[in-house]
Amino acid sequence: MRGLDLDYMWGLVPVLLGYVPLTLLMALVAMACALVLASIMAVERVFRIPVLDHFVRLFISFFRGTPLLVQLFLFYYGLPQMVAFLGTINGVTATIMGLTLHFSAYMAESIRAAILGVERSQWEAAQAVGMTQSQMMRQIILPQAARVAAPTLVNYFIDMIKGTSLAFTLGVTELMGATQKEAAGSFLYFEAFIVVAAIYWIIVEALAFVQRRLETYLNRAHAR
């Protein structure tokens, strides 16, 4: 039984760190897009606009009810066969699309719950001063809902970062894809995957720390 090749592991760290920016970039872009889409769907689910509500519910049901990997394959391999202009879609774009739509379905329900959690008196006060629904949502309801939803949304961002590891199945050389190639070249799979697991762990723990600080700050601001 051989021991761990520590020299190889230390040498692999700077190599894999070079792919962290691409991993974070995909997650950040997908998070920004998902947040916008989820907010729109959450507001729609609160007001239940006829016809549109059925489409939104179907969207949420589909993307919550199917695996992320299947959705990535649909965007990368399936859609280009059906839609001509998507024939040149690359793995990074397909990954961002998949992450955006997949996590927006989950985030929409969390934001909707946060909106409905705002005290009814806030809604009634906004209506009493003559605010339109649009003004009420922008100025009164959504800011309060954001405080409640923020910790959960950070959790989704953490899951999104881990979800980028599936991008290597689309040929993207991000953190996981680079690890796969390095391991295949050295045959030191155990060492390579320990290193990448440690990198993901550190990133997630850093974000968890930010989440705790954010939650503390928001609670203090609300208490004042």
Side-chain angles (χ1 to χ4, degrees):
M1 181 177 177
R2 68 175 181 84
L4 290 175
D5 190 332
L6 297 180
D7 290 336
Y8 171 77
M9 293 172 69
W10 280 115
L12 189 58
V13 170
V15 174
L16 296 185
L17 287 178
Y19 294 91
V20 170
L22 177 58
T23 293
L24 294 180
L25 177 63
M26 289 192 295
L28 284 169
V29 173
M31 184 65 184
C33 295
L35 187 57
V36 172
L37 181 58
S39 298
I40 294 171
M41 290 193 295
V43 171
E44 189 287 324
R45 290 287 290 124
V46 170
F47 292 106
R48 297 191 177 184
I49 301 171
V51 180
L52 184 58
D53 189 55
H54 294 292
F55 174 78
V56 171
R57 290 171 62 184
L58 180 63
F59 177 95
I60 292 174
S61 176
F62 176 80
F63 283 98
R64 287 175 56 136
T66 55
L68 175 57
L69 183 59
V70 173
Q71 295 164 17
L72 292 178
F73 280 12
L74 278 174
F75 291 126
Y76 189 63
Y77 297 110
L79 280 183
Q81 294 181 346
M82 304 296 293
V83 185
F85 73 88
L86 291 177
T88 57
I89 190 172
N90 58 37
V92 172
T93 303
T95 300
I96 291 173
M97 288 175 58
L99 291 173
T100 295
L101 299 180
H102 180 83
F103 283 97
S104 68
Y106 287 91
M107 290 163 59
E109 290 298 285
S110 295
I111 296 173
R112 181 175 74 93
I115 291 174
L116 294 176
V118 176
E119 292 182 8
R120 194 65 193 172
S121 60
Q122 299 291 314
W123 298 73
E124 294 170 350
Q127 291 171 342
V129 298
M131 283 188 171
T132 64
Q133 286 187 341
S134 176
Q135 291 174 327
M136 178 174 63
M137 293 303 297
R138 289 199 316 269
Q139 300 177 29
I140 305 296
I141 306 303
L142 287 179
Q144 295 184 62
R147 180 187 64 83
V148 177
T152 302
L153 296 179
V154 175
N155 275 336
Y156 284 130
F157 181 58
I158 290 172
D159 288 340
M160 202 174 281
I161 288 176
K162 291 185 285 188
T164 61
S165 63
L166 295 175
F168 87 96
T169 63
L170 307 184
V172 180
T173 307
E174 41 67 69
L175 186 54
M176 189 63 187
T179 304
Q180 188 81 358
K181 290 182 178 180
E182 293 292 331
S186 64
F187 295 102
L188 297 175
Y189 289 95
F190 190 66
E191 287 88 338
F193 290 126
I194 284 180
V195 173
V196 76
I199 292 174
Y200 276 117
W201 189 16
I202 291 170
I203 293 172
V204 168
E205 283 301 306
L207 286 171
F209 173 77
V210 171
Q211 178 193 32
R212 290 191 293 270
R213 295 297 297 269
L214 177 63
E215 195 168 355
T216 300
Y217 171 77
L218 290 175
N219 287 336
R220 286 177 180 172
H222 179 67
R224 287 200 296 268

